[in-house]
Amino acid sequence: MKEEVIHTENLTKRFGNFTAVDNISFGVDRGEIFGFLGANGAGKTTAMRMLCGLSHPTSGKGSVAGFDIFKQSEQVKQNIGYMSQKFSLYEDLKVWENLRLFGGIYGMKEKIIVSKTSEILQELGFENERNTLVKSLPLGWKQKLSFSVSIFHEPKVVFLDEPTGGVDPVTRRQFWELIYQAADSGITVFVTTHYMDEAEYCDRVSIMVDGRIEALDSPKNLRHQFQAATMDEVFQQLARKATRKAD
């Protein structure tokens, strides 16, 4: 039986007379890799901020990890992970210090932090970089570490906001292997990306246009629906309808 860990009904966000997110309704299951796509100005960043408990909806309902995004935003934050293109790591701390810091922030016990740190460094092949300052790591390594930090406390959901920007295709593919592992362990992955080949890696994809969800299905079904060879073609068809230019 599927367990829904993200649920929205008519979720809306207005700024004055401008409706950034317009009555979106969808659900995401436990362990699903859900792609949340849209051109600049589509409203996806605003929607993600609401789901992360960082911005209150104007109207509608939403829950993440079993908590109401309007009434229980602090509990939402404690039960999710988050990673953005602008890395949430502390550059002047060592690799192991970053893991320890975020474990502490999420209230993990010291003993668990120590064992989990060793486990993650081994999985990433970072044992020799344990005492390396984060700012000295190559970009791709920083991304892998940043992702590991975002799921260090084993959240129910991890939000990835364009996590693979600026790196080469090989590193991007390695990063997605980490995403698959997280999903296999039961963590729900909610990801935005500008790379349409990455949309193919998702279980389902939604595409926002001007604040509304215009399409939502598996990549295979969307390609069939829009008679397209690739997700990029699907995206282009929908993006042409957009009238907005900035998010």
Side-chain angles (χ1 to χ4, degrees):
M1 184 176 173
K2 290 185 177 179
E3 175 194 347
E4 216 172 48
V5 292
I6 298 176
H7 181 79
T8 73
E9 291 177 32
N10 303 315
L11 198 62
T12 300
K13 181 68 176 184
R14 296 188 190 91
F15 298 97
N17 294 324
F18 176 69
T19 303
V21 176
D22 191 0
N23 282 292
I24 63 172
S25 300
F26 65 94
V28 185
D29 293 327
R30 180 178 184 268
E32 185 173 12
I33 301 173
F34 188 82
F36 198 62
L37 310 182
N40 289 338
K44 64 184 186 300
T45 299
T46 302
M48 185 182 271
R49 284 181 59 80
M50 286 192 283
L51 293 174
C52 291
L54 299 173
S55 176
H56 278 168
T58 304
S59 61
K61 296 178 182 177
S63 66
V64 173
F67 298 100
D68 187 296
I69 61 174
F70 189 81
K71 299 172 185 172
Q72 299 172 297
S73 58
E74 289 308 310
Q75 289 98 317
V76 168
K77 292 173 195 170
Q78 285 295 315
N79 284 274
I80 64 171
Y82 178 82
M83 175 189 167
S84 72
Q85 188 177 358
K86 300 178 182 73
F87 302 110
S88 47
L89 298 170
Y90 287 88
E91 297 263 307
D92 290 322
L93 291 180
K94 296 173 183 176
V95 168
W96 75 267
E97 289 173 330
N98 267 276
L99 290 163
R100 188 189 184 288
L101 174 67
F102 282 93
I105 288 171
Y106 282 103
M108 294 171 68
K109 292 178 179 173
E110 183 70 27
K111 191 176 177 182
I112 295 173
I113 290 174
V114 171
S115 64
K116 185 103 181 173
T117 296
S118 297
E119 180 186 316
I120 284 176
L121 293 178
Q122 188 174 358
E123 283 177 4
L124 294 176
F126 279 20
E127 295 105 321
N128 293 336
E129 309 301 331
R130 179 186 179 89
N131 292 308
T132 301
L133 291 177
V134 164
K135 64 184 175 187
S136 303
L137 294 174
L139 181 59
W141 289 34
K142 285 182 186 177
Q143 279 182 311
K144 292 175 190 173
L145 179 62
S146 190
F147 179 70
S148 295
V149 163
S150 73
I151 61 169
F152 192 69
H153 57 302
E154 298 178 6
K156 291 187 177 179
V157 185
V158 62
F159 289 90
L160 307 178
D161 192 3
E162 296 180 23
T164 56
V167 298
D168 62 88
V170 173
T171 305
R172 281 203 284 131
R173 182 69 210 189
Q174 290 171 348
F175 186 87
W176 272 86
E177 291 298 333
L178 295 178
I179 290 178
Y180 290 144
Q181 288 172 24
D184 285 344
S185 74
I187 295 175
T188 299
V189 181
F190 188 99
V191 58
T192 72
T193 178
H194 278 308
Y195 298 110
M196 287 304 112
D197 61 319
E198 292 188 346
E200 305 277 0
Y201 304 155
C202 299
D203 297 312
R204 284 189 304 147
V205 171
S206 80
I207 301 175
M208 284 186 79
V209 178
D210 292 348
R212 295 188 182 92
I213 291 178
E214 291 292 333
L216 199 169
D217 211 327
S218 68
K220 181 181 177 182
N221 288 346
L222 287 173
R223 290 195 308 272
H224 179 74
Q225 181 185 337
F226 289 90
Q227 298 181 322
T230 65
M231 279 303 297
D232 188 50
E233 286 180 31
V234 174
F235 183 80
Q236 294 301 331
Q237 284 187 47
L238 287 165
R240 285 190 204 108
K241 299 179 182 179
T243 58
R244 295 183 194 169
K245 297 300 177 193
D247 206 345

